[in-house]
Amino acid sequence: KYKNPIDGWSYVNSGVYYVYDVEAFWGEAANRLTTAGTLTDALASGAAYIKLKEDVTLTTNIEIAAGATLTFDLDGNTLTTATNKDGFYNNGTLTILNGMISDTNEDNCAVLNNGTLTMNGVTVNGGNPFKNKNGTATLVNCRLNNNMDSFYSAALTMEGGTVNATNCDFSGYDYNIYMWHGECSFVGHGSLTFGRVNQYDICVYNGSQVSLSEITTTLEGLTITGLGTVTLPEGYALIDGAVTKSN
């Protein structure tokens, strides 16, 4: 039988006590983690809650099917994506908590959302840290770092849907936010930092919408381009593509 799943995975057979390496714990909920083993086993189980025990490198992507629900607790650890694979591909309901996702690819996404996504306390590094295809995403206390030079790369890419970000930081190599379609709102003390000159911090195209009206950090000097709609806080104006303090 199995013993002490939270401390380690053990197996007793004919009186001999075996202990195996543990990458993750899983079960029905955070307080009902009943099994331990490899992350591959955890994902194959269909469990509703997975909690990492240590840093793990994926060999394939994590796909959440339509209608499925998963909470993935990084628990302060780092999940590294597989080569030439997206990290998370969400078509269902996905919550990611407390840790880091490291994307090793320039052209794939660390997190790709096409369903309902919540991320809280997560740092994502990579060529395309986060893309919202067509779904709803809520980001709280997150940091998205686009740290690779790839074509039209951004910390946040919007192809559709809605993203609401509270107290989040976005750091882009080419762009901070690149919006083809959809709506984004930013609230609280988050920041938008920028890596490359002669590009724009935010690109808003095809009628997409960005609300910065409730962000509390300074926006002066932020550059914005495109034909979408941008809502700024009181006291700011967009003049010739740059955000300035209005009189």
Side-chain angles (χ1 to χ4, degrees):
K1 63 180 182 179
Y2 298 100
K3 292 183 176 181
N4 303 323
I6 301 305
D7 298 322
W9 186 30
S10 58
Y11 180 67
V12 178
N13 183 22
S14 301
V16 180
Y17 190 76
Y18 299 92
V19 177
Y20 297 85
D21 290 335
V22 174
E23 293 180 336
F25 309 109
W26 62 93
E28 296 179 7
N31 60 350
R32 300 187 66 182
L33 302 177
T34 56
T35 312
T38 67
L39 179 56
T40 298
D41 290 338
L43 294 168
S45 74
Y49 199 105
I50 296 174
K51 181 178 180 179
L52 285 190
K53 179 181 178 291
E54 60 187 19
D55 295 347
V56 177
T57 297
L58 293 170
T59 57
T60 187
N61 65 330
I62 298 174
E63 184 168 352
I64 297 86
T69 299
L70 172 64
T71 297
F72 198 101
D73 187 354
L74 295 160
D75 197 32
N77 297 293
T78 297
L79 183 71
T80 301
T81 62
T83 303
N84 298 323
K85 299 281 187 180
D86 296 322
F88 290 89
Y89 194 120
N90 179 45
N91 290 297
T93 301
L94 172 64
T95 300
I96 307 174
L97 304 172
N98 310 321
M100 181 178 292
I101 302 169
S102 179
D103 179 23
T104 59
N105 307 295
E106 292 184 1
D107 299 322
N108 297 91
C109 297
V111 180
L112 193 154
N113 182 49
N114 199 37
T116 301
L117 171 72
T118 300
M119 289 203 305
N120 195 327
V122 179
T123 295
V124 187
N125 299 317
N128 289 283
F130 178 70
K131 179 184 288 186
N132 206 71
K133 288 182 68 68
N134 188 18
T136 300
T138 301
L139 313 181
V140 180
N141 298 323
C142 292
R143 181 170 182 83
L144 306 183
N145 300 311
N146 163 226
N147 55 12
M148 296 182 188
D149 182 11
S150 55
F151 186 66
Y152 285 130
S153 60
L156 168 62
T157 302
M158 291 288 298
E159 292 186 354
T162 302
V163 170
N164 300 304
T166 301
N167 300 336
C168 293
D169 298 329
F170 299 86
S171 179
Y173 190 90
D174 274 345
Y175 308 94
N176 285 312
I177 315 295
Y178 204 101
M179 299 195 60
W180 293 105
H181 300 277
E183 300 179 12
C184 280
S185 67
F186 302 92
V187 177
H189 57 69
S191 66
L192 298 166
T193 57
F194 189 54
R196 178 183 288 191
V197 297
N198 299 324
Q199 299 283 18
Y200 286 91
D201 296 326
I202 302 177
C203 297
V204 188
Y205 292 122
N206 302 316
S208 54
Q209 301 177 44
V210 173
S211 174
L212 301 170
S213 61
E214 296 184 66
I215 201 165
T216 57
T217 49
T218 182
L219 296 175
E220 194 166 12
L222 193 74
T223 57
I224 301 174
T225 187
L227 300 176
T229 302
V230 179
T231 305
L232 297 172
E234 185 177 354
Y236 286 93
L238 183 60
I239 301 175
D240 295 330
V243 176
T244 61
K245 284 284 188 72
S246 59
N247 296 326

